[in-house]
Amino acid sequence: MTEDPLINDPDGGIPRLLTIMARLRDPDTGCPWDIEQDFDSIAPYTIEEAYEVADAIARKDMGDLSDELGDLLLQVVYHAQMASEENAFSFDDVVRGISDKMVRRHPHVFGAEDRNKSAAQQTRDWEQIKAAERAGRETRGTLDGVATGLPGMTRAVKLQNRAARVGFDWPETTQVLDKLVEEAGELVAAQNTMSKADQVDEFGDLMFVMANLARHLDIDPEEAIRSTNAKFTRRFKRIEALLTERGKTPATSDLAEMDALWDQAKSED
């Protein structure tokens, strides 16, 4: 088979990447692993790559970010290639669709609307345009269209935001806190009296209220837990370093010592 020169052209850009993906998926000459994949099998990789992009951003590693964005772009190309094989849509359709959407949703940039708006007003306008787009489609329920593949807390916030638009929401943060205390109490009570499935259900209720509290406080719960995870990792590594200075490891230490070192790590942080 004659090799397409575009495949080895470092300046080939998007056409090169599309050609590479089409070759990988070629049923006769492609990669056996790539040929076997479908939308369902690739979806987890797509989610994973998005998280790795977020991780590179959090670490402020621009070299890694460039690499991870390439991995994420490959996921878009992969899905588009599989869709084109089914005559569902093409990569060009994806690009055209998002370009049209950006122009349509930014009338203050690409249209005649006044650009002199606050970020909050622009966000409200964005939501109104999205609502008008949804209204132009078939009638759907209030919660329809919130992707099931989102991280749990993110999806909880989006579901609650949708419900709040039609008036199903606590008006005061104190009411959310009261519900949080109630759900926490139910979870504790469930420890010794309920099945594991019921305990999981009660814990889910508690997490859902936590998402609601984050929404009322205008906090991204996923961002908050990522920050706390990073903080815990940083401080625990400091504990390990301090123990190493004493010729010890966590396994040869005890809770009292590590708790005291945690306080030291916290004060240094």
Side-chain angles (χ1 to χ4, degrees):
M1 179 179 179
T2 303
E3 192 70 85
D4 187 330
L6 183 59
I7 288 178
N8 295 307
D9 181 0
D11 298 318
I14 290 293
R16 180 192 185 196
L17 181 57
L18 294 172
T19 301
I20 290 170
M21 178 50 65
R23 176 67 185 279
L24 288 171
R25 290 278 297 178
D26 187 290
D28 297 320
T29 62
C31 169
W33 186 89
D34 287 288
I35 294 168
E36 289 181 0
Q37 304 312 305
D38 57 24
F39 294 108
D40 290 332
S41 67
I42 291 298
Y45 295 103
T46 307
I47 295 169
E48 179 181 345
E49 295 299 349
Y51 277 119
E52 290 182 358
V53 167
D55 179 66
I57 292 170
R59 291 185 284 104
K60 295 180 172 58
D61 187 330
M62 291 298 104
D64 205 11
L65 177 58
S66 175
D67 187 58
E68 297 298 347
L69 285 171
D71 290 343
L72 186 58
L73 175 60
L74 178 65
Q75 297 300 306
V76 177
V77 170
Y78 211 132
H79 286 288
Q81 173 62 31
M82 291 187 291
S84 70
E85 293 165 5
E86 298 179 7
N87 294 315
F89 59 82
S90 68
F91 182 80
D92 286 342
D93 292 326
V94 174
V95 174
R96 185 182 305 107
I98 189 60
S99 298
D100 289 347
K101 183 186 295 184
M102 288 301 98
V103 171
R104 187 170 64 248
R105 291 185 180 180
H106 292 84
H108 57 292
V109 176
F110 303 109
E113 285 192 8
D114 187 354
R115 186 174 168 274
N116 187 26
K117 300 179 183 179
S118 67
Q121 182 59 53
Q122 289 177 17
T123 299
R124 287 193 292 271
D125 290 350
W126 175 279
E127 291 299 329
Q128 289 175 357
I129 294 170
K130 286 174 63 178
E133 291 172 353
R134 287 193 296 270
R137 304 170 192 159
E138 60 183 273
T139 302
R140 307 171 75 184
T142 301
L143 304 181
D144 290 345
V146 180
T148 57
L150 290 170
M153 294 295 277
T154 298
R155 186 163 193 263
V157 169
K158 287 184 176 292
L159 290 170
Q160 292 163 6
N161 279 334
R162 288 283 189 89
R165 290 179 197 165
V166 296
F168 191 72
D169 190 21
W170 282 299
E172 302 292 338
T173 303
T174 53
Q175 295 169 295
V176 184
L177 287 170
D178 289 341
K179 188 64 176 178
L180 185 63
V181 172
E182 176 189 331
E183 294 293 350
E186 290 179 0
L187 178 60
V188 172
Q191 277 185 302
N192 300 316
T193 60
M194 293 187 181
S195 67
K196 192 66 176 180
D198 287 335
Q199 291 181 49
V200 170
D201 188 59
E202 292 294 343
F203 186 79
D205 291 345
L206 179 61
M207 294 292 287
F208 196 77
V209 179
M210 284 296 297
N212 207 345
L213 178 61
R215 188 175 65 85
H216 275 259
L217 296 175
D218 195 24
I219 291 172
D220 179 346
E222 295 290 344
E223 179 183 346
I225 194 61
R226 283 197 299 269
S227 176
T228 297
N229 286 341
K231 179 171 61 179
F232 179 84
T233 301
R234 187 171 62 247
R235 291 177 181 175
F236 194 82
K237 285 184 176 180
R238 180 56 177 155
I239 289 174
E240 291 179 313
L242 292 169
L243 285 172
T244 298
E245 292 174 5
R246 300 180 182 185
K248 304 173 74 173
T249 67
T252 59
S253 182
D254 57 33
L255 178 59
E257 181 179 30
M258 287 191 288
D259 198 38
L261 292 177
W262 174 272
D263 290 338
Q264 179 179 338
K266 183 178 179 180
S267 66
E268 294 173 356
D269 200 359

